[in-house]
Amino acid sequence: MRLRRPGASTRRALTGLVLTAVCLTVGVSSGLAFFLGDSRTVVVASHDAVVTPTFDGQVSLRTGPLLPDVRRASGGPVGVDLVLGKTQTESVEELFARYAFIASEPDSQVAKVSDAVRDMASSAALRGLALGLVPLATWWLLGPHRRGQLFRGVRTRKGVLGGVLLLTVPLFLWQPWASDEDTQEAQGEWEPLETFMAGFPVPEEAAGIEIRNSPTTVQTQRLIQSAVDTYDKSKEFYDAAAEEAESLELNEPDDDETVALVVSDRHDNIGMDRVARAIGDQAGASVVLDAGDDTSTGQPWEAFSLDSLDRTFDDLDRFAVAGNHDNGPFVTDYLDDLGWTMLEEAPVEAPWGGLLLGVDDPRSSGLGNWRDETGLSFTEVGERLADAACDQDGERISTLLVHDANLGREALTRGCVDLVVGGHTHVQDGPTEVLGENGRNGYRITNGTTGGAAYAIAIGSKPRRDADVTLVTYRDGRPVGTQWVRLRTDGVFVIGPYAELGLDEPDEE
């Protein structure tokens, strides 16, 4: 009985299946190789950090030669290695306190690492797809005649030799015979944090965290104990404050009114972010106005503060200026990349319907297009800002957002602004009425320090001084009232009275 040769359609189907299998094998294997071999450098937990994906199901933090490594199960097959690099700190004690504080509000940092891993996965998938299409493209380009020649050539001695050489290429690239020397890291063993802490109480959230055994000194153990204590107290304080903020009796806006939440002088206190958001939600705020000093030095290691700010208010209309401590372009550029509207000397349409004008503090990153001019005094910059506010073809500026309210003094004096909003002094003040030279009145308010900062330092288990936010209510494109809310260092809220703003009507000029 003679076997029937498969028909043309069957051969095409088999060829298609083989090609598909080859393309999938090449694409998936190369994609996985690209993924595992990729890395990203990001700023995490105030450090330059190299993020590398793994398939060990662990989130491992490599802290360097002096401190123990830490890891925790990721909850899935994909893990990540984080190798910490440089940062800025005055002391090891300060660094550990910062670690604890960031750990108490980890969402923004977790999201940042997750985004980096997703970016690497997408990149690897595209590369794998490209390589996976190579066999298919080669098949089509060769054509039936050349494919036949190639397959016949494989059976010859030269063909066998060429095949052997092709198989050795991956082997030479892999070089499995090469090995590293034994290292201290390889000799260390992982142990639960509870065991490492030797009876010191560990928060429930730390369950599952492991530390690599090493010749850790007693001093390092004490630092870790101190960090755990700071973490515990910080989380407890801000958890309670955020929960209580949800029941505060604040002014309720009417349906035709818009509420903006003013924050300023956070100085890296990410713990207050969710408290400020809870206050804003309770007041019906849909806009956030950031008057600057989100950092203490304006350096990239403080990106954790800006990440937290962005994640907390990502669904609101967001406007900001840089403060005098936000030195250099980093803060402005970073928030701009995150989607914040960074105000310059040109007014923008505000969500409440009026014009919003703002500018960075000239003592930090300059003033819009005037940055190239050196030697301008604070007063001269204020005059430039007043010129911009008054040169709007009769349309009045609803709100002028600056870091220091004194920068808007000249604009108020000329009568071109309804409301100047600032911070900087760390002391709440206003609203204060100012009668302009043109007979039009305006107001100024200064928000205290939202981070509860003493000088430029706010990191700690609770605010170092009373922490403030301000609520501004708008109607028909103009501010009509303000109210401040304060969280004291003992965890008690103080609510300021709702102050109505008696602004002149346009026809009263």
Side-chain angles (χ1 to χ4, degrees):
M1 178 177 175
R2 294 180 60 186
L3 294 175
R4 288 175 127 193
R5 295 184 63 186
S9 60
T10 303
R11 287 197 300 273
R12 284 196 296 269
L14 289 173
T15 300
L17 286 174
V18 172
L19 273 176
T20 301
V22 170
C23 290
L24 285 175
T25 300
V26 172
V28 172
S29 59
S30 59
L32 289 174
F34 283 131
F35 181 60
L36 293 177
D38 202 358
S39 64
R40 292 288 187 276
T41 300
V42 296
V43 180
V44 178
S46 78
H47 284 264
D48 296 341
V50 177
V51 180
T52 305
T54 67
F55 280 132
D56 63 1
Q58 297 285 342
V59 177
S60 301
L61 192 65
R62 314 294 181 180
T63 58
L66 300 180
L67 303 178
D69 294 338
V70 180
R71 76 176 185 183
R72 189 174 194 172
S74 65
V78 178
V80 65
D81 260 0
L82 286 142
V83 180
L84 298 186
K86 291 185 177 297
T87 187
Q88 291 184 9
T89 184
E90 296 294 329
S91 65
V92 176
E93 290 80 2
E94 178 188 303
L95 185 61
F96 268 78
R98 189 192 302 164
Y99 288 160
F101 194 55
I102 294 173
S104 68
E105 307 290 335
D107 291 348
S108 62
Q109 302 303 282
V110 171
K112 195 168 189 177
V113 174
S114 299
D115 288 344
V117 173
R118 280 192 289 268
D119 180 61
M120 286 184 280
S122 300
S123 176
L126 289 175
R127 295 181 189 179
L129 176 63
L131 284 181
L133 292 175
V134 169
L136 182 61
T138 303
W139 180 268
W140 284 339
L141 288 173
L142 288 175
H145 178 66
R146 292 188 178 277
R147 287 199 300 266
Q149 289 181 323
L150 182 63
F151 290 146
R152 286 191 294 273
V154 169
R155 303 168 189 169
T156 66
R157 290 183 178 180
K158 290 183 177 179
V160 172
L161 180 60
V164 171
L165 290 176
L166 284 176
L167 290 175
T168 59
V169 170
L171 186 64
F172 288 149
L173 293 175
W174 179 24
Q175 297 184 7
W177 55 84
S179 61
D180 296 326
E181 294 183 8
D182 290 337
T183 62
Q184 293 292 330
E185 180 176 339
Q187 294 176 7
E189 296 181 356
W190 293 97
E191 64 176 332
L193 180 62
E194 297 90 336
T195 303
F196 179 83
M197 296 294 287
F200 189 84
V202 175
E204 295 180 3
E205 296 86 353
I209 292 180
E210 296 179 317
I211 288 184
R212 187 189 293 275
N213 246 334
S214 63
T216 307
T217 64
V218 174
Q219 179 64 26
T220 302
Q221 289 180 316
R222 288 174 179 170
L223 287 171
I224 294 176
Q225 290 176 353
S226 175
V228 170
D229 185 55
T230 299
Y231 165 88
D232 220 9
K233 290 179 179 178
S234 174
K235 189 168 181 59
E236 181 180 347
F237 181 90
Y238 291 112
D239 275 346
E243 183 177 354
E244 186 177 349
E246 296 174 357
S247 59
L248 296 177
E249 295 183 3
L250 306 174
N251 178 69
E252 295 185 12
D254 295 333
D255 293 339
D256 61 344
E257 293 179 334
T258 300
V259 178
L261 174 71
V262 178
V263 298
S264 70
D265 305 276
R266 292 171 55 254
H267 290 295
D268 297 328
N269 187 349
I270 60 177
M272 273 298 298
D273 287 346
R274 56 198 171 102
V275 180
R277 178 59 194 261
I279 294 172
D281 288 345
Q282 182 65 9
S286 58
V287 182
V288 59
L289 301 177
D290 181 359
D293 271 8
D294 289 304
T295 66
S296 295
T297 64
Q299 298 301 308
W301 69 265
E302 295 174 283
F304 74 91
S305 177
L306 307 179
D307 291 330
S308 174
L309 178 74
D310 178 66
R311 185 173 178 84
T312 302
F313 300 108
D314 63 347
D315 58 337
L316 302 186
D317 291 313
R318 303 167 298 170
F319 302 88
V321 295
N324 61 299
H325 280 279
D326 299 322
N327 294 294
F330 171 73
V331 172
T332 299
D333 292 345
Y334 198 88
L335 288 177
D336 182 66
D337 289 342
L338 290 174
W340 286 67
T341 299
M342 303 305 295
L343 299 174
E344 297 182 353
E345 70 273 13
V348 299
E349 288 288 339
W352 54 82
L355 288 181
L356 173 63
L357 177 65
V359 74
D360 293 346
D361 193 285
R363 293 164 294 194
S364 59
S365 35
L367 189 58
N369 294 332
W370 309 330
R371 292 175 184 173
D372 293 334
E373 295 187 45
T374 59
L376 289 177
S377 68
F378 190 86
T379 300
E380 288 172 328
V381 172
E383 291 174 352
R384 297 283 187 96
L385 188 57
D387 291 341
C390 297
D391 187 22
Q392 299 302 322
D393 296 327
E395 191 172 0
R396 190 170 170 83
I397 297 297
S398 168
T399 298
L400 178 60
L401 179 64
V402 289
H403 178 59
D404 186 341
N406 286 325
L407 199 60
R409 178 185 295 142
E410 180 65 19
L412 277 174
T413 300
R414 299 185 194 180
C416 302
V417 178
D418 283 339
L419 178 65
V420 173
V421 176
H424 181 62
T425 63
H426 294 197
V427 177
Q428 190 278 329
D429 183 54
T432 303
E433 185 178 13
V434 177
L435 183 62
E437 296 170 347
N438 61 356
R440 297 290 300 275
N441 69 336
Y443 288 83
R444 57 179 283 170
I445 57 171
T446 295
N447 184 65
T449 163
T450 302
Y455 301 101
I457 302 173
I459 291 180
S461 59
K462 64 178 183 177
R464 293 172 180 257
R465 64 187 300 171
D466 294 347
D468 294 354
V469 298
T470 301
L471 302 162
V472 181
T473 303
Y474 295 88
R475 186 190 316 120
D476 299 328
R478 305 187 74 189
V480 294
T482 68
Q483 185 175 35
W484 55 264
V485 181
R486 177 171 302 141
L487 176 63
R488 298 192 329 197
T489 57
D490 59 1
V492 175
F493 280 99
V494 180
I495 302 173
Y498 178 75
E500 295 186 357
L501 306 182
L503 290 168
D504 300 329
E505 295 298 326
D507 58 356
E508 295 179 359
E509 296 186 58

